[in-house]
Amino acid sequence: MALQQTCQERNPIPIVKHGGGSIMLWGWCFAAGGTGALHIIDGIMRMENYVDILKQHLKTSVRKLKIGHKWVFQMDNDPKHTSKDVAKWLKDNKVKVLEWPSQTLTSIL
């Protein structure tokens, strides 16, 4: 009874736990010197969008953070990230990518 009275006395404000929309962001990096670019993705993310984001923000963020050549790019195995076009861009731009295992039953066990 005391807890019920306390909650009623404080007049809790009801909250909505669903809806309200969403926002998709691409955030490249962080280092001791700060953070890199943050890119708002409008609509559905496609492989072409991902290559454009890399072109716009990857090297700019590296220069801003003054981390030189001692960095590794990490991404998951989303099909957009592992596409041939993305792999070619990363290779052409000499981006060292951290190997990321796919989530298979054997990698979970």
Side-chain angles (χ1 to χ4, degrees):
M1 284 281 191
L3 181 59
Q4 284 181 332
Q5 288 174 341
T6 301
C7 288
Q8 289 173 354
E9 290 170 8
R10 292 186 184 172
N11 297 317
I13 299 170
I15 60 172
V16 177
K17 295 186 179 186
H18 55 81
S22 65
I23 185 169
M24 188 183 306
L25 300 169
W26 179 88
W28 179 69
C29 62
F30 56 91
T35 58
L38 188 63
H39 182 88
I40 297 173
I41 298 163
D42 186 27
I44 297 171
M45 174 72 143
R46 296 190 185 350
M47 177 266 304
E48 297 84 10
N49 303 114
Y50 190 62
V51 172
D52 288 341
I53 291 168
L54 293 174
K55 288 177 183 176
Q56 290 175 37
H57 299 296
L58 186 66
K59 290 189 176 188
T60 304
S61 293
V62 169
R63 283 191 298 274
K64 174 187 169 194
L65 294 170
K66 300 176 184 171
I67 54 178
H69 297 287
K70 296 183 179 185
W71 58 276
V72 178
F73 186 62
Q74 179 181 353
M75 57 187 176
D76 61 21
N77 285 324
D78 183 286
K80 291 177 284 298
H81 303 163
T82 58
S83 72
K84 290 179 183 178
D85 289 348
V86 170
K88 181 180 180 337
W89 189 90
L90 293 168
K91 183 179 179 182
D92 291 349
N93 288 274
K94 298 178 176 71
V95 176
K96 184 176 179 182
V97 179
L98 180 68
E99 294 214 16
W100 195 257
S102 60
Q103 188 172 4
T104 63
L105 184 56
T106 56
S107 67
I108 295 171
L109 298 177

